Amino acid sequence: MKLNQKTNIGAAVQEKPLAVCGLILCAGFGARAGFSYNKLLHYVGTKTVLELTLDKFMESCCTSIVITASPNDIDAVRKMVSVYANVLVVSGGDTRTKSVRNGLQAMQKSDIVVIHDGARPFICSALINQAVQSAITFGSGILAVPAIDTIKEVHGDTVVRTLPRAGLYHIQTPQAFRYNQIVDAYARIADDCGDDSEIYEKAGYSPKIVLGDYANRKLTTPNDFLLHSASSKIGTGFDVHRLVENRPLILGGVHIPFEKGLLGHSDADVLTHAVMDALLSAAGLPDIGVLFPNDDPAFHNAVSLKLLQTVLQKITCLGFSIGNISAVVLAEKPKLSPYIEKICINLARALGISVQQINVSATTTEGLGTVGEGKGIAASAMCIVTY
């Protein structure tokens, strides 16, 4: 999204880049989720709910982010988000409305504010940007989806009215506003309200709806977390290459001194190939023979670690994150133990994960078969990916 175009903000015409600040609310507790701690600090896969939410905002058009956290969690949250740029953590309040007030007061003057419940980690950056564009054009952008269930008004345990479903919406976040308007609304309305658009409406403004996504769910109950804690897949990969003279021996991107090397269209890094196939298998994608065919000149002598980064991009685009990888190299010679640590470091760097998430071992086949006869080297790999 281009944010440096001429844009009407209030009465003035802005020609400088717009300052868009995300405000992520993280000051709640885990009572309804059944936790004894803040549910946003709960891990879903390899990241916390807060980190998953923050990642999506970092991909959006936001130029800075303010997070409100409870006093009990503020140190932990600051440590957790210290690796992110332009993120400020401040104390929240004992209600949602008070947390928003604190966040608005803490941020430097912005052109657009995007307020989001941190417990909605499945938001996508495109919807954040759409809400911002609506706020630029109309003053506000409130994500919402049409009601799909019949809504009843109930007194006690008795239905007193069935509401017509047409025109009813489930309101979501993020909710984007022109900074001066939402600050004015919070200054004039003292009520604790369910969301920001209610305060905006009570102050006399007209909230503008932006079609949201049903997948943009809020994690609230224990069942919500149970549904997503099991979101992982296992992948397996295997590869074998022939040993020949006048070829370098490369495993996990490490050049290993030996009188022979592996034959292949690329650099024939059999270990990296097995890891790639494991990741592709877990994500339900075609194997490397389909993605990087051995009759394509583009991959002649290709560096397998670079191909591994391409695989990473493909699975990341589908929403997968790497949990862990375990691989075994089968080789009669040479002795590989001196190179294992460097191999793990290379793979971790290529995949953007920690070395602790990768385990590589080596073994022989006790002289049996093609590997045991010194004619080739094989590798197998398994991985877990989360989504």
Side-chain angles (χ1 to χ4, degrees):
M1 173 183 290
K2 294 181 179 179
L3 294 175
N4 58 352
Q5 55 193 348
K6 282 187 179 182
T7 308
N8 286 319
I9 301 291
V13 175
Q14 305 292 316
E15 297 190 31
K16 62 181 180 66
L18 295 180
V20 179
C21 186
L23 175 53
I24 300 177
L25 306 177
C26 178
F29 302 96
R32 285 188 293 173
F35 300 140
S36 60
Y37 55 90
N38 190 332
K39 65 185 177 183
L40 269 68
L41 303 183
H42 181 78
Y43 277 84
V44 177
T46 59
K47 292 190 174 184
T48 63
V49 175
L50 176 60
E51 289 172 298
L52 293 174
T53 302
L54 187 54
D55 285 344
K56 300 301 176 59
F57 271 77
M58 298 302 292
E59 295 169 1
S60 75
C61 62
C62 290
T63 54
S64 63
I65 294 171
V66 172
I67 298 174
T68 60
S70 70
N72 291 336
D73 299 326
I74 196 165
D75 290 339
V77 171
R78 282 175 175 161
K79 182 178 180 180
M80 181 181 299
V81 305
S82 61
V83 296
Y84 295 88
N86 300 320
V87 177
L88 174 66
V89 181
V90 300
S91 291
D94 55 6
T95 67
R96 185 188 188 283
T97 301
K98 291 178 181 177
S99 288
V100 174
R101 292 185 194 279
N102 289 359
L104 292 174
Q105 291 171 3
M107 69 178 60
Q108 297 181 349
K109 188 181 185 308
S110 299
D111 296 306
I112 302 294
V113 178
V114 192
I115 305 172
H116 187 63
D117 296 326
R120 291 183 185 269
F122 309 113
I123 184 62
C124 69
S125 58
L127 282 178
I128 298 172
N129 293 344
Q130 288 176 31
V132 169
Q133 186 59 63
S134 178
I136 292 171
T137 306
F138 303 106
S140 63
I142 314 301
L143 259 64
V145 291
I148 57 177
D149 298 316
T150 300
I151 306 298
K152 305 276 188 179
E153 182 180 346
V154 178
H155 290 175
D157 57 2
T158 303
V159 174
V160 297
R161 184 163 61 120
T162 299
L163 302 178
R165 195 161 50 200
L168 294 180
Y169 279 71
H170 294 289
I171 300 299
Q172 302 179 331
T173 65
Q175 300 183 7
F177 306 90
R178 293 179 187 167
Y179 176 83
N180 61 335
Q181 291 183 358
I182 193 63
V183 168
D184 173 67
Y186 267 90
R188 293 197 287 119
I189 305 300
D191 302 346
D192 277 328
C193 295
D195 73 332
D196 311 290
S197 65
E198 184 179 356
I199 287 181
Y200 189 74
E201 181 183 5
K202 285 184 174 182
Y205 297 103
S206 298
K208 179 72 174 181
I209 292 297
V210 174
L211 184 62
D213 188 339
Y214 291 102
N216 181 25
R217 298 178 57 210
K218 187 177 181 181
L219 298 178
T220 303
T221 68
N223 191 55
D224 294 330
F225 285 88
L226 286 172
L227 286 172
H228 293 286
S229 63
S231 300
S232 62
K233 291 188 175 182
I234 297 174
T236 62
F238 179 84
D239 198 23
V240 60
H241 283 270
R242 184 184 301 275
L243 280 167
V244 297
E245 295 180 349
N246 301 316
R247 285 277 296 186
L249 176 57
I250 302 172
L251 295 172
V254 177
H255 287 251
I256 297 173
F258 193 53
E259 65 266 21
K260 293 182 179 181
L262 294 171
L263 180 64
H265 185 60
S266 65
D267 61 8
D269 186 340
V270 66
L271 171 60
T272 303
H273 292 180
V275 171
M276 287 194 286
D277 268 341
L279 292 170
L280 292 167
S281 168
L285 294 172
D287 63 25
I288 59 174
V290 176
L291 296 180
F292 314 115
N294 59 13
D295 58 356
D296 189 336
F299 305 116
H300 180 61
N301 289 331
V303 176
S304 293
L305 283 184
K306 291 185 177 180
L307 300 182
L308 178 61
Q309 291 175 324
T310 300
V311 168
L312 176 66
Q313 291 173 357
K314 289 183 177 295
I315 70 168
T316 301
C317 286
L318 294 177
F320 291 99
S321 299
I322 298 173
N324 72 290
I325 297 170
S326 180
V328 180
V329 180
L330 294 87
E332 203 68 23
K333 292 181 180 180
K335 188 174 180 63
L336 299 178
S337 56
Y339 309 101
I340 294 297
E341 182 179 0
K342 178 60 176 175
I343 287 172
C344 290
I345 291 172
N346 278 0
L347 292 172
R349 285 176 176 172
L351 292 170
I353 60 179
S354 70
V355 177
Q356 288 72 29
Q357 290 173 266
I358 295 181
N359 182 73
V360 175
S361 60
T363 187
T364 70
T365 60
E366 300 293 338
L368 299 176
T370 300
V371 170
E373 295 170 1
K375 296 179 180 179
I377 294 178
S380 66
M382 295 188 67
C383 72
I384 294 177
V385 298
T386 59
Y387 62 99

